[in-house]
Amino acid sequence: MKNFLGIIFLFFSIICFTQDKQPKVGLVLSGGGAKGFAHIGVLKEIDNAGLQIDYIGGTSMGAIIGGLYAVGYSGKQIEQIVLETNFITLLQDKLPRNSSSFFEKESGEKTFITLPVQSGSLGLPKGVSKGQNVLNILFELLASVEYIKDFKKLPIPFFCIATDIENGSAVLLEKGSLPMALRASSSFPTLLTPVVLDGKLLVDGGVANNFPVSIMKSKGMDIIIGVDVEGRLNKKEKLNSVLDIMNQIVSYQMYSKSFAEKRKLDVYINPEIKGYSVVSFDKKDEILQKGIEQSEKFASVFKELALKQTEKKERKKLNFDTEKYFISEINLIGSNNFSRAFVLGKMKIKERDSLSRKEITKRIHFLSATKNYEKIVYNLTKKDDDSYALKFSVRESNNNANIKLGIHYDNLYQSGVLLNYNKKNVLLGNDMFSLNVVLGDNLRYSLDYFVDNGFYVSYGFRSRYDHFTVNSKFNPIVSQFPAISSINLKYTDFTNQFFLQTTFNRIFALGVGVEHKYVNATTQTVTTFNNENTTFDNSNYVNAFGYLKLDTYNKKSFPTKGYFADLNFKWYLYSSDYNENFTSFLQSKGTLSFATTFFDKLTFQMTNEAGITLNEKDSDVFDFYLGGYNENYINTFVSFYGYDFAELSDVSFVKSGFSLRYAFAKNHYASVMANYGRLDNNVFKNIDLFKDIKSGYAIGYSYDTFIGPIELKYSWSPDNNTNYWLFNLGFWF
């Protein structure tokens, strides 16, 4: 009924215009988060009718949709942008894993909560996301009007609304950087951090004025079309989360003001989007359809109004910017704590490069991954010789320390809570410090200090204390005492390393170093003549080591493509020698794996491992031990389905593992796994790799959650008719 009365009123308004007066049409789009996708249906219907919009205003998502239309994108093009964009990744500021440094790939990706430490005190983040990814895509999409600083001069004049967080007043944005204005207008509290513009700290415009019809009236528009995707205040039983409560609080003033604004409209369009929320980004197809269905009811109105527009501006089709820009000059503003060489080196940008907007975004990802910056913006200025000056403006983060939390459970280490403290610029401007303390059934810690010299040789220090107690078919004992089926093994490792490292393209790392290692391994199951625990080793070692690593996996957990390699050697030079029979020996171990995906859901992953001791040694403690399943084994322990932890052992081994993983739902996986291996004092002798093959198999279910993977697997081996249930929860550490 409301739609019918609105249409009748609009026809009356159109008739009132004389033939020699062309009505000026304004379009106002409200905020509403993901619900704002419904605006696109109205824009498509406006395009179909040939209706010219003379002014656009909007708030939050309405500002973003309206801004894209104002610069020249059609409704259909905006629909394409929305459908091709992963908004969850965008809003969470998730970066491609290949943007991360090698240090972050190795020492990070273990936690799910990050809290800033400022002036020695623990704080809370200003928002879930800094919004850098949002800013990046806006700079890409709005490239054609980068030089326009007065929004009245856009192909369609435009304004948007933000809120001054200091006093709650509405701020009219119609000049300056359009990407920054849209980013400010859409800074939903708690979801995106506020934006500083012209000395004001700005958040989502919906807080102060979510439906700026009065401002559009002041622009001299004769007919104003308004699209309303606001929700309604919820009943108490619907307020079930922090986001629900925050949205309710923000909405009090919004709805009361919007009610008065709606009465000033000539055409009021209100898509039926009840049941969707501001974060229903996974329902974008449904919301788009709701907008289309509602706008079709106004098709005749738009066409009638379009007939009154006898003089129309030519609306040129705006294509997506794929041009490559030849960079002849690079300027950097705002980098106080990091050198120009560091910043440009991280982005891998230099003068005489030819880069598209998308390529510049990828380079910004590299710099964002350092977590040194609150904001990174850029602009390209054409020079007289048709080359471009590229200017970066950065705002460095004053938060260089964090506390991170993670949880984990597995069959070996049992339960553990990870407390991670990490800090940058501890001693030098380009250093990183990370301390992991694991509290739980087995106390552990790891410490990393790394000085990143970029293209030059970097260096660092690692320290690790590892301890576990496990009932195991530990081969050195069980093989000697057939009556004993398993032993209680207590194993302690304390390792300190100093190393030199150089990296290439964030995927290769090459390093050498020296190491001190203390190992203590005992059991109470078998005692000595003096009724004391049997000690396998209780010695200090001094070693030299080297490694070559490659990591191009697109994800740490459940990768769907990429390669991984870890090739290393260790030369045991000296030992305090608990057994008093130490001789120096060299040991090498390597892992090569890859993952590839078929039909978008089925991933095949293959992992090959091998290890060999190149000269005789007198202690069994550094034999290779295969069995069980963990991704955080240390030293010479290797996982192997179908066997108990450390059940197989010898001085050399080869192993091949195969996995088929099917993603039957989002983040849900069903897996089938097989591994085959051989152990001997020299498995490579005579290249007889297929003799005495050990085999094991497993099937499992996995769920990738925000706290890390949850995995339940059933494994068995036809060699020994045994089976095991394997369970782990959370990121591996």
Side-chain angles (χ1 to χ4, degrees):
M1 185 64 180
K2 286 183 180 179
N3 288 337
F4 176 74
L5 293 175
I7 292 171
I8 294 297
F9 176 77
L10 179 62
F11 274 123
F12 178 76
S13 300
I14 294 173
I15 293 170
C16 288
F17 285 102
T18 60
Q19 291 296 323
D20 59 344
K21 182 180 180 183
Q22 177 169 305
K24 294 182 179 179
V25 180
L27 176 65
V28 181
L29 306 177
S30 80
K35 295 180 290 184
F37 297 148
H39 292 314
I40 298 170
V42 177
L43 295 179
K44 289 174 69 177
E45 199 61 49
I46 286 173
D47 288 341
N48 290 337
L51 176 61
Q52 174 179 288
I53 300 298
D54 298 293
Y55 223 116
I56 300 178
T59 298
S60 195
M61 184 61 81
I64 292 177
I65 301 295
L68 292 174
Y69 194 74
V71 304
Y73 290 109
S74 66
K76 191 171 183 178
Q77 284 178 305
I78 299 172
E79 181 181 50
Q80 179 186 344
I81 292 167
V82 166
L83 291 175
E84 292 177 354
T85 300
N86 185 329
F87 285 89
I88 303 300
T89 298
L90 198 70
L91 292 170
Q92 291 179 346
D93 259 354
K94 286 187 176 180
L95 297 174
R97 191 167 182 264
N98 61 13
S99 301
S100 299
S101 66
F102 217 94
F103 179 84
E104 179 66 22
K105 289 179 182 179
E106 286 201 301
S107 64
E109 303 177 306
K110 300 175 182 178
T111 57
F112 64 93
I113 294 177
T114 301
L115 301 173
V117 176
Q118 296 177 335
S119 303
S121 299
L122 196 63
L124 292 172
K126 293 179 181 178
V128 173
S129 164
K130 294 179 181 179
Q132 183 64 51
N133 281 356
V134 175
L135 205 52
N136 290 343
I137 195 170
L138 288 174
F139 271 99
E140 285 183 33
L141 294 172
L142 304 173
S144 64
V145 296
E146 184 176 45
Y147 60 94
I148 297 178
K149 302 304 177 186
D150 184 348
F151 303 166
K152 297 187 189 72
K153 296 179 180 179
L154 293 171
I156 300 176
F158 172 77
F159 70 83
C160 61
I161 304 296
T163 301
D164 189 331
I165 200 170
E166 284 190 307
N167 52 37
S169 62
V171 178
L172 177 63
L173 300 176
E174 49 187 355
K175 288 187 177 180
S177 165
L178 183 58
M180 287 301 298
L182 298 184
R183 167 67 179 83
S185 181
S186 59
S187 299
F188 188 85
T190 72
L191 190 59
L192 294 175
T193 56
V195 171
V196 177
L197 275 182
D198 299 327
K200 296 177 181 179
L201 189 63
L202 304 180
V203 294
D204 196 295
V207 176
N209 187 353
N210 200 45
F211 211 17
V213 180
S214 295
I215 296 175
M216 184 61 76
K217 279 277 187 186
S218 71
K219 301 297 182 183
M221 297 297 104
D222 301 307
I223 300 291
I224 300 179
I225 302 169
V227 187
D228 174 21
V229 294
E230 291 179 346
R232 299 292 181 268
L233 292 174
N234 289 316
K235 300 294 184 182
K236 59 180 181 294
E237 56 270 15
K238 296 288 187 180
L239 302 175
N240 299 317
S241 69
V242 172
L243 195 61
D244 290 337
I245 294 170
M246 285 299 301
N247 192 35
Q248 184 90 340
I249 294 170
V250 168
S251 299
Y252 295 145
Q253 178 182 344
M254 178 196 305
Y255 292 149
S256 61
K257 186 164 187 174
S258 293
F259 179 76
E261 292 289 279
K262 293 171 190 176
R263 300 175 67 179
K264 301 172 185 177
L265 287 168
D266 299 293
V267 180
Y268 176 62
I269 304 175
N270 183 211
E272 297 290 335
I273 49 175
K274 185 178 179 181
Y276 300 99
S277 73
V278 294
V279 291
S280 295
F281 296 104
D282 57 333
K283 304 288 178 52
K284 57 186 178 184
D285 295 276
E286 298 174 18
I287 296 171
L288 281 164
Q289 186 58 37
K290 293 290 184 182
I292 292 170
E293 291 171 2
Q294 189 67 15
S295 61
E296 286 174 347
K297 300 174 184 178
F298 292 84
S300 58
V301 174
F302 294 157
K303 289 177 182 177
E304 188 68 28
L305 192 54
L307 291 174
K308 301 292 291 182
Q309 296 176 323
T310 55
E311 297 180 6
K312 294 182 181 179
K313 300 177 185 176
E314 181 184 359
R315 185 167 167 84
K316 296 180 180 179
K317 182 180 179 181
L318 180 61
N319 295 316
F320 296 112
D321 185 8
T322 59
E323 180 183 351
K324 282 186 176 288
Y325 300 87
F326 179 76
I327 311 299
S328 62
E329 179 183 341
I330 302 176
N331 298 302
L332 177 64
I333 297 174
S335 189
N336 302 314
N337 297 315
F338 300 93
S339 68
R340 172 186 169 93
F342 175 87
V343 175
L344 299 184
K346 283 295 179 185
M347 290 194 289
K348 296 185 65 179
I349 290 180
K350 60 185 183 299
E351 292 178 357
R352 305 190 66 78
D353 280 346
S354 291
L355 301 170
S356 67
R357 296 273 178 171
K358 283 191 177 296
E359 288 170 333
I360 293 174
T361 292
K362 290 179 182 178
R363 308 303 174 87
I364 290 175
H365 285 164
F366 296 155
L367 193 59
S368 296
T370 66
K371 298 181 174 62
N372 292 331
Y373 300 91
E374 293 288 338
K375 182 183 70 176
I376 306 166
V377 300
Y378 73 92
N379 68 281
L380 287 161
T381 304
K382 193 170 186 178
K383 300 171 70 174
D384 292 338
D385 60 359
D386 289 335
S387 67
Y388 286 82
L390 176 58
K391 175 183 172 184
F392 286 102
S393 297
V394 300
R395 188 168 80 244
E396 295 174 345
S397 173
N398 56 9
N399 171 34
N400 62 355
N402 292 290
I403 293 286
K404 298 181 179 181
L405 303 175
I407 60 173
H408 187 77
Y409 176 87
D410 65 59
N411 295 71
L412 178 64
Y413 288 102
Q414 306 296 309
S415 60
V417 175
L418 173 66
L419 302 177
N420 168 260
Y421 174 74
N422 62 89
K423 183 177 174 62
K424 297 178 180 179
N425 310 330
V426 179
L427 300 175
L428 302 171
N430 53 338
D431 67 4
M432 293 169 278
F433 172 83
S434 176
L435 174 64
N436 293 320
V437 177
V438 181
L439 306 175
D441 293 308
N442 292 280
L443 180 67
R444 293 173 282 154
Y445 89 82
S446 63
L447 179 153
D448 290 271
Y449 177 77
F450 185 63
V451 179
D452 186 356
N453 289 323
F455 294 115
Y456 303 104
V457 175
S458 303
Y459 59 91
F461 173 77
R462 303 186 188 104
S463 179
R464 183 193 71 211
Y465 172 80
D466 212 299
H467 169 78
F468 59 81
T469 301
V470 62
N471 286 313
S472 167
K473 296 179 180 179
F474 190 59
N475 191 55
I477 291 293
V478 174
S479 60
Q480 295 180 41
F481 300 92
I484 299 176
S485 60
S486 66
I487 68 165
N488 178 263
L489 175 66
K490 295 182 68 175
Y491 190 95
T492 298
D493 176 275
F494 177 52
T495 299
N496 299 285
Q497 296 179 334
F498 176 79
F499 63 95
L500 303 175
Q501 176 178 291
T502 186
T503 59
F504 306 92
N505 297 325
R506 293 175 175 79
I507 61 174
F508 274 108
L510 177 66
V512 294
V514 292
E515 167 188 271
H516 161 262
K517 181 184 288 290
Y518 167 73
V519 174
N520 179 266
T522 65
T523 182
Q524 295 177 333
T525 308
V526 179
T527 59
T528 66
F529 293 112
N530 299 326
N531 205 31
E532 295 178 352
N533 296 345
T534 296
T535 300
F536 305 110
D537 200 357
N538 185 26
S539 305
N540 290 280
Y541 295 87
V542 175
N543 312 315
F545 65 88
Y547 57 85
L548 172 64
K549 298 182 180 182
L550 166 73
D551 189 350
T552 69
Y553 275 155
N554 61 332
K555 294 193 296 181
K556 181 86 167 182
S557 304
F558 312 114
T560 58
K561 62 180 179 179
Y563 298 88
F564 177 84
D566 183 357
L567 310 175
N568 61 75
F569 75 87
K570 190 168 291 185
W571 188 4
Y572 290 80
L573 297 168
Y574 166 81
S575 172
S576 60
D577 193 6
Y578 170 79
N579 295 306
E580 298 183 355
N581 56 5
F582 173 79
T583 55
S584 177
F585 65 95
L586 185 67
Q587 198 168 61
S588 181
K589 181 176 178 290
T591 300
L592 297 170
S593 67
F594 75 93
T596 187
T597 298
F598 307 94
F599 316 115
D600 295 327
K601 292 183 178 293
L602 184 64
T603 298
F604 173 74
Q605 190 168 357
M606 179 178 179
T607 302
N608 297 303
E609 296 179 75
I612 187 169
T613 306
L614 297 180
N615 50 331
E616 291 187 8
K617 59 181 178 57
D618 297 301
S619 172
D620 292 333
V621 75
F622 290 113
D623 281 359
F624 294 101
Y625 295 94
L626 276 64
Y629 170 70
N630 269 46
E631 292 186 14
N632 53 0
Y633 281 162
I634 62 170
N635 294 339
T636 53
F637 294 102
V638 180
S639 63
F640 198 89
Y641 291 117
Y643 285 82
D644 194 11
F645 173 75
E647 185 175 352
L648 304 172
S649 72
D650 217 314
V651 294
S652 70
F653 81 98
V654 290
K655 171 198 164 185
S656 291
F658 307 90
S659 170
L660 274 177
R661 185 171 58 247
Y662 180 69
F664 62 88
K666 184 178 180 181
N667 297 327
H668 293 266
Y669 304 92
S671 302
V672 178
M673 292 140 286
N675 52 205
Y676 305 91
R678 180 170 178 263
L679 299 94
D680 203 339
N681 61 353
N682 187 351
V683 294
F684 302 103
K685 186 177 182 180
N686 301 323
I687 319 297
D688 194 1
L689 300 179
F690 299 98
K691 180 182 178 182
D692 298 327
I693 294 294
K694 306 295 183 183
S695 63
Y697 305 89
I699 57 173
Y701 161 76
S702 305
Y703 178 37
D704 194 7
T705 74
F706 75 99
I707 64 171
I710 298 174
E711 296 182 280
L712 179 63
K713 298 178 180 179
Y714 175 76
S715 75
W716 72 94
S717 173
D719 305 333
N720 50 27
N721 295 319
T722 57
N723 55 75
Y724 301 93
W725 284 99
L726 308 171
F727 176 75
N728 69 271
L729 178 151
F731 296 108
W732 292 96
F733 49 74

